[in-house]
Every structure is written in C-alpha cells, then in structure tokens.
Amino acid sequence: MGKQSYLHKQKLRRGLWSPEEDEKLLKHIAEYGHTSWSSVPKLAGLQRCGKSCRLRWINYLRPDLKRGKFSQEEEDIIIELHAVLGNRWSQIAAQLPGRTDNEIKNLWNSCIKKKLRQTGIDPNTHKPLSGIEGTEDDKISSGSGTLKQTELESDLTLMQCIEDSTTNSIGYCSLSKLCCSTSTTTLSVSSNPLLWHNQTNRGLGLNPELSCSSITSATTIVSSSIFYNSMDLKATSDLPYWEGGNPNSSSSKSSSFLNGGLSSWPHLTTERGNKYLLPGDSEEMKWSEYLQGNFLAPSLPHCQSQPLHAGDLKVESHFELESLNLCFQNHQPELPQLQF
DNA sequence: AAGTTGAGCAACCGCGGTGAT
DNA sequence: TATCACCGCGGTTGCTCAACT
C-alpha cells in the first residue's frame, strides 16, 4: 500500500544519469519548479521515475550544493551532531549548508567511522570502545587547580579523552555514573575557570569552552552555568542546585548563576537528548528545532556571562548522570585538574 | 600488464508518515 | 475510517577508479 509501483520501472531508465538527462531535469525545474516529483519525469521528457528525479536533484543538481572534500571543521560538526542525533542524516545535513544527507552518510560510513574507531571511540555510542575505568591517572592533582568532591557516593568513572593533537584540538571525553544522593555536595574550584586536565589524555573536562555534544541517557542531570551556553546539558524537574562564584567578585559564593534564574532554566527531560521542555511549557521541541536556531534561550543574563570561576560549587538534591559524552574545541593547555 | 582489493560515491529499495479523497 | 498516492528518509547495493600485488 502506498508504495510506488516498481512494476512500471521496466520501462524506466535506471542507473547513472547522462548529461542529457541532467540537462532536461535542470531545465524543467528551472522553468517549472518541482511541486510534484511524480509529474516531473513526464513533463521533463525523462524516462525516470519521480523518485529518481528528486534524488538526482537533491544530491547532485541543486545549485546550492557545495562540492568537494569535507573540511575538518565539517567533519567535527558531523561527529558532534551524530552524537546527539544519531543516524538522522537529514537533520545533520540541515546544519551543513551545501551538503546532502547522502553525502554525509557516505562520509560517515566510509571515513569517519573508521577514524573514530582508530581513536578508540565507538562510532555508534560515541563512547570509548574499551569501556576503560578511571584510574589514578584521572586523579592527578596539580596543586594549583584542584577540585575536591565530597559526598559523591557513587563513582565517577571517566572514561577516555582523546585529544587530537592537530591544530583543531578536538577532544572527547565520556563520563558515566556520576551520582550524588546527598543534599549538599561541595566542589572547590580553583582560580582557573577551566577545570580540565589532560595528562595522559584522560580526565573530566568542565570548561566554559567546552561544547557538550551528547548525552546518551540520563535520569536526572546536573546543570551548570559552564554548560549553559551550549545548552546541551539537561536539567530535569528534579533540579540540582549549583552555585558558582561570580567572576567579577572575589566572593566565591556571590551571585549564584541560578539565583532567580532557576525558573527559566530549560528543562530537558527526555533520554538521548532529542527533545526538551521549557519550564511551564507543555510542548516539546525537537533537537532539530533547537539546532536550527528556532529555540530562544531564556533570558539569564547573569548566567550566560558566568563561566565557572574560583569558589565553591554547591550541589543540592539528588542527581545522577549516566553517560555523558563531551566534545570540546579550543583546548587550552596547562589547565588545572580535577580530583575526585 | 593483468588481476585484485578497497575507498568513494551515486543511485536504488523499502518503509513510515502525511494529506487527499 | 479506509484507501491511495506521494514524499522523505535511512539502509543498502553496485559501479568506478585508483592503489596495490
């Protein structure tokens, strides 16, 4: 039912398109457009099915197509988006002007998958292939930049960070099972707002420059201003409370980024990060809408301008973070370290 | 030079969704 | 409500060509 009858295709041409066919199709669309693909072949004088015409137009003839190799930046975007969207090639393509879903899919299957595997990342889950547990290496302290986390009852297992040593400095890290059931957890933050250590290429990155690219699942997830700009961390109705220091003040506890802003904090509730809810909203928005820029961030001026700075972070309420993949850019060397 | 292999790419296939009747 | 036609998407196939043996 509802499917195109392929019985008729015996009469139709298949396979590669000839330049003459391309020309006919181009000419027809330039003149009449393509309001109905099913009628295009007949009107254009082509022995093709409408579907084939549509595909040829979308993947090859469209004037806005960007030909040529993908740049490193485009590849990075694809990886980030794939972590969030999975194999939704058309949604990924929507973020890359001039690129088609087919092109991106081919690139993914032929190149990117391989590259990720070579760097120890499972291209399906965007998690480390080996499922490495955190080691003492993860706990290296620099002295000047240390986070102490108390009352974290469950383990923070950090998994792997792979830093691309190229100029693009793209890196990934994943963490899982960050749980805290206590009412208050304090994180002491060093004077350096960047809480990243990358010795042995492992560590947890909490960095204003980071862009968190995916959350594969979460029951309740911590939010913090450091991730606010990327809007990628998910807060649920069971919001934890984070208090960050004011970068413009020596007081470590002034001006909590959530002060007064909690009500307008977006509630991001569903698994796999595909949808989110704004507080008080009943309608869900899709990630694609967010990514296409249809989402307007709530007004949180003091949040947006507050990366994590020296002082304490207080975490109240239970939170649990299961499996978070981070992708960062603009890596900066000599970052202080995080200790658990 | 001939055969083999693998990467890259273009196109096809089939399914699900949607709107019209 | 059921059926049909069509569209769009994602998975898959198959072709071409360059590199390698």
Side-chain angles (χ1 to χ4, degrees), chain A residues 4 13 35 52 64-65 69 84 181 260-261 266 318-319 326 334:
Chain A
Q4 204 155 340
R13 263 181 65 85
T35 49
S52 181
D64 60 327
L65 285 181
K69 290 191 73 175
V84 177
S181 62
H318 174 83
F319 67 87
L326 302 175
E334 298 182 9

Side-chain angles (χ1 to χ4, degrees), chain A residues 14 43 61 74 104 122 127 134 141 144 155-156 180 182 188 191 217-218 234 236 250 260-261 271 288 307-308 312 338:
Chain A
R14 293 174 58 182
L43 296 171
L61 297 175
E74 285 177 310
I104 292 167
D122 184 333
K127 292 177 185 173
S141 168
S144 63
D155 63 324
L156 165 74
C180 175
T182 57
S188 298
S191 58
S217 68
K234 315 292 186 289
T236 72
S250 58
E271 290 196 351
S288 56
L308 192 58
D312 291 340
L338 179 65

Side-chain angles (χ1 to χ4, degrees), chain A residues 235-302:
Chain A
T236 72
S237 56
D238 184 16
L239 276 169
Y241 182 87
W242 286 72
E243 186 173 291
N246 184 341
N248 300 317
S249 165
S250 58
S251 167
S252 66
K253 293 186 180 180
S254 64
S255 187
S256 158
F257 88 95
L258 288 178
N259 276 347
L262 197 58
S263 62
S264 53
W265 189 264
H267 288 213
L268 304 156
T269 56
T270 61
E271 290 196 351
R272 293 198 59 78
N274 292 330
K275 299 173 180 177
Y276 56 82
L277 284 172
L278 295 180
D281 283 353
S282 57
E283 290 185 18
E284 288 184 342
M285 288 180 70
K286 293 179 179 176
W287 263 101
S288 56
E289 292 174 305
Y290 161 59
L291 292 169
Q292 283 159 15
N294 296 338
F295 169 70
L296 294 176
S299 175
L300 291 171
H302 61 289

